[in-house]
Structure formats: C-alpha cells, structure tokens
Amino acid sequence: MASSVRIAIDSMGGDHGLRATLPAALQILTKHQQLELVLVGDEARIRENLAGTNHDRLSIKHSSQILTMGDKPSAILRQKTDSSMRVAIDLLAAKEVDAVVSAGNTGALMTAGCFVLNTLPGIERPAICKAMPVTEGCGYVLDLGANVDSSASQLHRFAQMASARCRVLHQVDQPRVALLNIGAEAIKGNEQVKLAAELIAADEHLNYIGFIEANALFDGGFDVLVCDGFVGNVALKACEGTAKHIASLIKQELGRNWRSKLWAGFALPVLTRIFKKLDPKQYNGASFLGLKGVVVKGHGNSNVEGFACAIEQALFEVEGNMLAAIEQQLALSIN
Amino acid sequence: MASSVRIAIDSMGGDHGLRATLPAALQILTKHQQLELVLVGDEARIRENLAGTNHDRLSIKHSSQILTMGDKPSAILRQKTDSSMRVAIDLLAAKEVDAVVSAGNTGALMTAGCFVLNTLPGIERPAICKAMPVTEGCGYVLDLGANVDSSASQLHRFAQMASARCRVLHQVDQPRVALLNIGAEAIKGNEQVKLAAELIAADEHLNYIGFIEANALFDGGFDVLVCDGFVGNVALKACEGTAKHIASLIKQELGRNWRSKLWAGFALPVLTRIFKKLDPKQYNGASFLGLKGVVVKGHGNSNVEGFACAIEQALFEVEGNMLAAIEQQLALSIN
C-alpha cells in the first residue's frame, strides 16, 4: 500500500473560494486512497458547505482571515498571518503536511513561500512552472512571472529544476531543454539568453536542444522551455488572449445568419472540446519550483475540475520525491 | 490632383519573390492613380513575368544579385551591394523614390536602413511597428524585434514615433499610449518598464493610459502599445502560434467522423474568414520607425494581397508626411 500523503488546501482562495475548492477536494479524495487533505479556512463556513459530508481522510484547520486578490503580497507576512493561505504554508513549514495547494493571490503565495518556507540552495527566487498542452513532449515552461530580468545563471537553474521534475514525474531520462528566443540562430536574442545558452549547453547533466520561437510553442518537441519571467508571462497571456479572441470571433459568426445558426448545433461540442484543451483553468496548476516545499498554485479562476488537477499535481510531486530530485540536480553544479 | 508618389519595390524579396511582388504591384497601381512604382530586380526575369504587360507608371531598375533569408544582415553592406533590396534602399537614399517596400530578410533591411539611410536624431535603432487586428483602436504595437533590452528612454521614443504616426495617418488627436506589462498595478514589471511608464506619463505631448497585459491585446482600447523588441516579438509569435494551433486542432476535428465532416462544409468559409483576420500575412506590413526614410517590410511569406497591403501602407506613410510628424514629435523632448 502506498504511504499516505497529506496536503493542505487553501480553501478560501481563488475567485470561487469554497465553491470550487471543497468539491475538488472531495472528488480527488475519492480518486486517491493514499491522500489526506487538510482544509484550511473558516471552519463554520467549511462545515456549512460540506453539508454534513464526513470523510475520514479530511480534516479542517480553522483560520480567521482571508487573503484577497487586492491584498499586497507582503500582507501575508504581517496583517494576514491568520489567513487560510498563510496557515496552510505554516503547516507545510512545520512539516505537518507534505504540500500546499492554493488558487489565491500569486504574489502572496510566492512571498510566503520565500520567507516562511525558504528557497533551496542556489535559488534566489522560485520559478513558476506550468505544462502547456503541446503536441509532443512534456511541454514545461518556466518562469511564467515570478522573476523579471532573470540572469543567465537563474535561467540555468530553471533548466535544472524543471529537468529534475520532468525526470521523476514523467520518467523521461534526458529531458530536452530549450530556450525561448526570437530566432533560431545563435546570434539572435538578448545577452542573458545567449549566455544562458552557453551555460546550459555546457552542463553535462542537461540535454540542451537549442532555441525555440514562440510561434512553435504548441508544436512541442521539448520537455522544458526556459525563459525570463516577464517574457514567459507575456507569452502565456498572449496565447490565452488569442484563444479567447478566436473563441469570441467564432461565437459572433455563429449568430450571423441561418446557415451559421444551423452549424452552431454541430460545431459547439467540437469547439468546446478544442477550447477546453487550451483553457488555462483546465490544464494543471503552476508549480513553484525552488522552494523548500511542494507548493502548487491553481489558476485564480479555477473551477472544480481545474482545482482538482492542481491537488493531483501536488500529490504526484510529493510521491515522485520531486524536491529531493531538484536538490540533487542543483547540487551538481553549485560547487 | 494628388502629387505623385514613387515607391521602390524589392521585387526579388520574400518567400514567393516575383510571383507575389509583381501581381501586387500591378494591383495596387490600378487602385492608386498617383502611385509610380520602380521594380528593382533581375530585369530579364521581371520582363518575363510581366509577360508584355506595360504600364506607364511602372519602371524597372536592374540589379544583379538576390539577398536571401540565409544571408547575414551585414551582407547587404558588403557582398550584396547590387542586390534588389540594397539597390532599392540606395534609390531612397538618393531621393529618387519616396519609400521602399520589401518582403526580404528583415535583419538586412534593418541594417541597410541604419547604415545607408541613417536614423533620425535621438534614435539609436528603428523600431518595428505593426497594427494588430484589435477590436477597438489603432492597435499599433512596437517594437516587434529590432531592439532587445530596450532602455526606458528607447521605449519612450517608440511611444513618440508611433503616436506621431497614428495622429497623421488615422487623424487621432491624442493617441492612447499603453505599455505592455505583466500586471496592471504600478509595482509590477521590470525596471525598464517602470521607468518608461514614468517618462511617458511625464511627457505632456503623449496621452499615456497605463499598462496592458498580453491577454488583453486583441481587446484593443489603445492606439499605441510599447514594448521591448524581445518581448514584442515573443508576444506576436505566441499569438501567431496559437491561431495556427487552433486552426490545426479544428482541422483535425473536421475529419473525425461523419457528423464533423457534415459540418465541415458549413464551417470552412466561416473559419477561413476568421483566421484570415488573424493571419500576419494579411494584416499590413511592418513599418520601420526611426529611419530617415519610409521603409515597410512585408511578411516574408506575403502573398499578393499581403504584399499589396504593404505597398499601400508605404504610400499612406508618404502621403501623410509621417517622417516629418515623427521628427517633430521627437524634437519636442530631445533638447
């Protein structure tokens, strides 16, 4: 029998709060028998929403405050120390749980991660890593917004961390590492990217395959794609924005005339399936790599299915001993 | 009667060369009576392709070389001084024409622009500016890849140049200028963007409206969106890649079963119309702002329609006295 894994859920976080987090928690408990969940948040409201549902692998940890999207990230260290997000992180720091999952304020989660859990040796600030729905490969992209003006050595660290994650979670022996650039030739790009290419290519423990441009992002062919957080965040959001825009153009066309209305009936299920694949709420959570603890961030607008995915992702990271693998990989070049 | 405008066409440039550039030239000549075109390239091949078509506003300027996508940008200054692209730029430098349009090697065109035409006072390197198919507003985005690691003062110059262009070409009195960032709050972003926000906001001749995130790019609401060339290039290509990916997912679905095949007949015209709107080959050329001359770059893969758009864009820039407007705007804060 697999040994149990305990995960703390920031029940109050995200746009939908308890309405998304509780059903997701119950759903994922049923799926994974080795999982125990600690719901952190307002106990009375949690009990009310559970409506008498009892589960022997579910417990509640009361917290009196809620950290909102409008709060400054630093609030989690000062005014909101009894918020559900902070209490969840405290449980992880005290090793009472193995991981934390939250759909709340990203900046606050990052701040609590850095100052309460601390970062791994060699890491200044963790990177946000997410799998894109690529045609082939693991499709991890990082950093997606935690770091701006990343130095070449930070980009190298990102490559190491995501490679380690890919190896233990997907059994890929030599994950293919690429750098996001504005051309495929070596002369293209900015100084950080060119220098990072040298560092990563010279690292014998990484399998560097070269530059990839943003228009080839969905084609895949890489397991890890490394970029500065500013650039990664822009790329991710440009993809989201384009998908949303196309969906709305199609919707407009569907109401245009009788012919369009006729095919709307056929088209909608197909289009729904396609856009679901591209919807950031659906495809997994974002892992904060580089912290001394497993922290997964669900999309702020996570629905039940999306948040359940994020919990599952944290479970796999714990069971795959991701943290140990990342530490080992980083240690290979820290000396 | 409008006074005549002479434009030199790099006839040999682009993936389709003469097959795209000649029909585009003939098409656009018919549309604009004040336009004269100089086709630069291999005279024998041009005559062969024109197949006896004569036009009194069309002339040919022979050049013996072709600059390819594989050539280094610097080749245009040394080995390929008789290439169609270089000869076209030389005509512009000698004021024998009013503008140049090319679908060839971007780096070479930029190099010839900088070293043969020179840049305007205050401009280190021109910015690539293109209009995105936004829902509302002019939707100019710059820089799209000419500059990496743009300083805050460069970003400020980009804002000035595109504002001037927008004012004279679209009769927008106070073009709305935004900065591309990874969040809407003032604390977000990297140092250059934060500093650029201060510079642009403090410029009384610009109408600064704040930050815009990449997921809102197609919503518009701005006339000018300023960003570093690395970031802009990634954003543009991420949009292109997403549109291409969605188109291919839809295509896959269309062949899936009888039901899908049935609606394919209805869907295709509608989808074609939508994806055409988003196809970079279709929506205009890219203007090199900051050069002492009007230079418009058509997409490398421009078809006839796309290249005709690029020629028309150059015509409007000449007729709108864009260069003078940009120089005036730059002069306002150079002192």
Side-chain angles (χ1 to χ4, degrees), chain B residues 8-27:
Chain B
I9 305 294
D10 169 12
S11 308
M12 316 304 282
D15 299 350
H16 306 297
L18 293 169
R19 273 174 299 134
T21 58
L22 294 194
L26 293 171
Q27 196 183 93

Side-chain angles (χ1 to χ4, degrees), chain A residues 180-185 188-190 212-217 230-231 234-235 238-239, chain B residues 106-107 110 128-130 132 141-150 158 180 214 217 225-241 280 283 286 288 297 299:
Chain A
L180 184 62
N181 201 353
I182 59 171
E185 312 86 15
K188 291 276 182 117
N190 56 28
I212 282 184
E213 292 186 74
N215 52 355
L217 223 147
F230 192 100
V231 173
V234 165
C239 295
Chain B
T106 307
M110 184 60 74
I128 299 177
C129 176
K130 200 163 175 162
M132 297 283 282
V141 183
L142 79 170
D143 174 33
L144 291 172
N147 301 270
V148 295
D149 299 321
S150 312
F158 299 167
L180 183 62
L217 222 145
L225 181 61
V226 172
C227 54
D228 167 66
F230 192 101
V231 173
N233 194 281
V234 165
L236 182 74
K237 285 180 179 160
C239 294
E240 278 181 41
Y283 58 86
F288 286 8
K297 167 78 177 58
H299 196 280

Side-chain angles (χ1 to χ4, degrees), chain B residues 130-326:
Chain B
K130 200 163 175 162
M132 297 283 282
V134 296
T135 311
E136 190 274 322
C138 289
Y140 289 153
V141 183
L142 79 170
D143 174 33
L144 291 172
N147 301 270
V148 295
D149 299 321
S150 312
S151 66
S153 77
Q154 279 178 297
L155 296 173
H156 179 203
R157 296 270 177 245
F158 299 167
Q160 292 179 301
M161 295 194 292
S163 268
R165 184 182 195 278
C166 192
R167 229 178 27 247
V168 294
L169 265 69
H170 301 271
Q171 288 73 49
V172 176
D173 253 1
Q174 301 204 302
R176 292 159 298 175
V177 177
L179 273 163
L180 183 62
N181 201 354
I182 59 171
E185 312 84 16
I187 55 155
K188 290 275 182 116
N190 55 29
E191 287 313 311
Q192 299 94 291
V193 169
K194 285 186 222 174
L195 190 52
E198 288 176 28
L199 289 177
I200 297 172
D203 184 335
E204 55 182 336
H205 306 289
L206 292 175
N207 174 21
Y208 179 61
I209 58 165
F211 297 134
I212 281 184
E213 292 186 75
N215 52 355
L217 222 145
F218 290 103
D219 301 341
F222 62 88
D223 297 304
V224 172
L225 181 61
V226 172
C227 54
D228 167 66
F230 192 101
V231 173
N233 194 281
V234 165
L236 182 74
K237 285 180 179 160
C239 294
E240 278 181 41
T242 308
K244 199 182 70 183
H245 182 60
I246 293 176
S248 95
L249 289 177
I250 292 178
K251 213 170 159 188
Q252 269 172 39
E253 293 285 346
L254 290 183
R256 216 176 150 96
N257 54 37
W258 66 266
R259 183 187 260 256
S260 305
K261 280 177 188 154
L262 189 65
W263 74 259
F266 295 101
L268 279 176
V270 173
L271 294 173
T272 304
R273 192 160 59 226
I274 288 173
F275 284 99
K276 204 171 156 180
K277 277 190 201 166
L278 292 169
D279 185 351
K281 292 194 294 295
Q282 307 282 350
Y283 58 86
N284 307 318
S287 297
F288 286 8
L289 302 186
L291 290 175
K292 286 184 176 168
V294 168
V295 176
V296 174
K297 167 78 177 58
H299 196 280
N301 193 20
S302 288
N303 55 15
V304 174
E305 200 180 341
F307 197 73
C309 268
I311 303 175
E312 199 168 43
Q313 186 169 328
L315 171 66
F316 294 154
E317 291 184 358
V318 173
E319 292 191 323
N321 282 314
M322 182 189 76
L323 285 189
I326 289 179

